mmCIF file of all heavy atoms in Angstrom:
data_model
loop_
_atom_site.group_PDB
_atom_site.id
_atom_site.type_symbol
_atom_site.label_atom_id
_atom_site.label_comp_id
_atom_site.label_asym_id
_atom_site.label_seq_id
_atom_site.Cartn_x
_atom_site.Cartn_y
_atom_site.Cartn_z
ATOM 1 N N PHE J 750 11.118 88.757 98.457
ATOM 2 C CA PHE J 750 11.344 89.594 99.636
ATOM 3 C C PHE J 750 10.541 90.892 99.534
ATOM 4 O O PHE J 750 10.081 91.267 98.463
ATOM 5 C CB PHE J 750 12.826 89.995 99.726
ATOM 6 C CG PHE J 750 13.771 88.904 100.164
ATOM 7 C CD1 PHE J 750 13.342 87.603 100.361
ATOM 8 C CD2 PHE J 750 15.120 89.193 100.381
ATOM 9 C CE1 PHE J 750 14.223 86.614 100.769
ATOM 10 C CE2 PHE J 750 16.005 88.214 100.793
ATOM 11 C CZ PHE J 750 15.570 86.921 100.986
ATOM 12 N N GLY J 751 10.450 91.620 100.634
ATOM 13 C CA GLY J 751 9.886 92.961 100.607
ATOM 14 C C GLY J 751 10.946 93.941 100.117
ATOM 15 O O GLY J 751 12.142 93.663 100.228
ATOM 16 N N TYR J 752 10.504 95.068 99.566
ATOM 17 C CA TYR J 752 11.446 96.089 99.115
ATOM 18 C C TYR J 752 11.071 97.442 99.705
ATOM 19 O O TYR J 752 9.917 97.861 99.630
ATOM 20 C CB TYR J 752 11.456 96.179 97.582
ATOM 21 C CG TYR J 752 12.154 97.433 97.074
ATOM 22 C CD1 TYR J 752 13.471 97.705 97.432
ATOM 23 C CD2 TYR J 752 11.488 98.355 96.268
ATOM 24 C CE1 TYR J 752 14.103 98.862 97.002
ATOM 25 C CE2 TYR J 752 12.112 99.516 95.828
ATOM 26 C CZ TYR J 752 13.424 99.765 96.206
ATOM 27 O OH TYR J 752 14.046 100.902 95.792
ATOM 28 N N ILE J 753 12.031 98.123 100.296
ATOM 29 C CA ILE J 753 11.785 99.451 100.863
ATOM 30 C C ILE J 753 12.775 100.456 100.294
ATOM 31 O O ILE J 753 13.991 100.309 100.432
ATOM 32 C CB ILE J 753 11.875 99.406 102.405
ATOM 33 C CG1 ILE J 753 10.761 98.497 102.942
ATOM 34 C CG2 ILE J 753 11.732 100.812 103.001
ATOM 35 C CD1 ILE J 753 11.078 97.879 104.256
ATOM 36 N N ASP J 754 12.225 101.473 99.637
ATOM 37 C CA ASP J 754 13.010 102.517 98.979
ATOM 38 C C ASP J 754 13.096 103.702 99.950
ATOM 39 O O ASP J 754 12.179 104.528 100.004
ATOM 40 C CB ASP J 754 12.260 102.883 97.680
ATOM 41 C CG ASP J 754 12.907 104.020 96.917
ATOM 42 O OD1 ASP J 754 13.883 104.607 97.419
ATOM 43 O OD2 ASP J 754 12.406 104.322 95.815
ATOM 44 N N SER J 755 14.171 103.765 100.721
ATOM 45 C CA SER J 755 14.235 104.829 101.741
ATOM 46 C C SER J 755 14.340 106.211 101.106
ATOM 47 O O SER J 755 13.864 107.197 101.670
ATOM 48 C CB SER J 755 15.393 104.589 102.719
ATOM 49 O OG SER J 755 16.636 104.827 102.094
ATOM 50 N N GLY J 756 14.938 106.300 99.916
ATOM 51 C CA GLY J 756 15.028 107.585 99.222
ATOM 52 C C GLY J 756 13.642 108.148 98.923
ATOM 53 O O GLY J 756 13.407 109.360 98.988
ATOM 54 N N ALA J 757 12.700 107.233 98.623
ATOM 55 C CA ALA J 757 11.323 107.655 98.339
ATOM 56 C C ALA J 757 10.699 108.342 99.555
ATOM 57 O O ALA J 757 9.824 109.203 99.417
ATOM 58 C CB ALA J 757 10.484 106.445 97.927
ATOM 59 N N MET J 758 11.175 107.990 100.751
ATOM 60 C CA MET J 758 10.610 108.575 101.969
ATOM 61 C C MET J 758 11.088 110.023 102.125
ATOM 62 O O MET J 758 10.318 110.895 102.519
ATOM 63 C CB MET J 758 10.990 107.710 103.169
ATOM 64 C CG MET J 758 10.447 106.284 103.012
ATOM 65 S SD MET J 758 11.065 105.101 104.235
ATOM 66 C CE MET J 758 9.970 105.442 105.603
ATOM 67 N N TYR J 759 12.356 110.271 101.793
ATOM 68 C CA TYR J 759 12.848 111.662 101.810
ATOM 69 C C TYR J 759 12.158 112.470 100.713
ATOM 70 O O TYR J 759 11.841 113.650 100.894
ATOM 71 C CB TYR J 759 14.384 111.693 101.651
ATOM 72 C CG TYR J 759 15.049 111.167 102.892
ATOM 73 C CD1 TYR J 759 15.334 109.810 103.026
ATOM 74 C CD2 TYR J 759 15.304 112.010 103.971
ATOM 75 C CE1 TYR J 759 15.876 109.302 104.195
ATOM 76 C CE2 TYR J 759 15.853 111.518 105.146
ATOM 77 C CZ TYR J 759 16.126 110.159 105.251
ATOM 78 O OH TYR J 759 16.647 109.658 106.421
ATOM 79 N N ARG J 760 11.913 111.807 99.583
ATOM 80 C CA ARG J 760 11.189 112.466 98.491
ATOM 81 C C ARG J 760 9.760 112.803 98.932
ATOM 82 O O ARG J 760 9.234 113.872 98.622
ATOM 83 C CB ARG J 760 11.158 111.569 97.248
ATOM 84 C CG ARG J 760 12.520 111.440 96.585
ATOM 85 C CD ARG J 760 12.516 110.496 95.383
ATOM 86 N NE ARG J 760 13.857 110.419 94.831
ATOM 87 C CZ ARG J 760 14.367 111.295 93.959
ATOM 88 N NH1 ARG J 760 13.609 112.284 93.503
ATOM 89 N NH2 ARG J 760 15.607 111.175 93.537
ATOM 90 N N ALA J 761 9.117 111.882 99.658
ATOM 91 C CA ALA J 761 7.733 112.087 100.099
ATOM 92 C C ALA J 761 7.621 113.282 101.057
ATOM 93 O O ALA J 761 6.692 114.085 100.958
ATOM 94 C CB ALA J 761 7.201 110.815 100.762
ATOM 95 N N ILE J 762 8.586 113.408 101.963
ATOM 96 C CA ILE J 762 8.562 114.542 102.899
ATOM 97 C C ILE J 762 8.775 115.848 102.123
ATOM 98 O O ILE J 762 8.114 116.865 102.382
ATOM 99 C CB ILE J 762 9.629 114.388 104.017
ATOM 100 C CG1 ILE J 762 9.426 113.079 104.794
ATOM 101 C CG2 ILE J 762 9.618 115.608 104.960
ATOM 102 C CD1 ILE J 762 8.101 112.937 105.527
ATOM 103 N N THR J 763 9.693 115.809 101.149
ATOM 104 C CA THR J 763 9.945 117.000 100.323
ATOM 105 C C THR J 763 8.676 117.388 99.557
ATOM 106 O O THR J 763 8.304 118.569 99.491
ATOM 107 C CB THR J 763 11.103 116.714 99.327
ATOM 108 O OG1 THR J 763 12.212 116.211 100.063
ATOM 109 C CG2 THR J 763 11.504 117.968 98.565
#
Side-chain angles (χ1 to χ4, degrees):
F750 286 5
Y752 166 57
I753 296 154
D754 177 355
S755 72
M758 300 170 83
Y759 290 90
R760 290 177 181 276
I762 302 298
T763 308

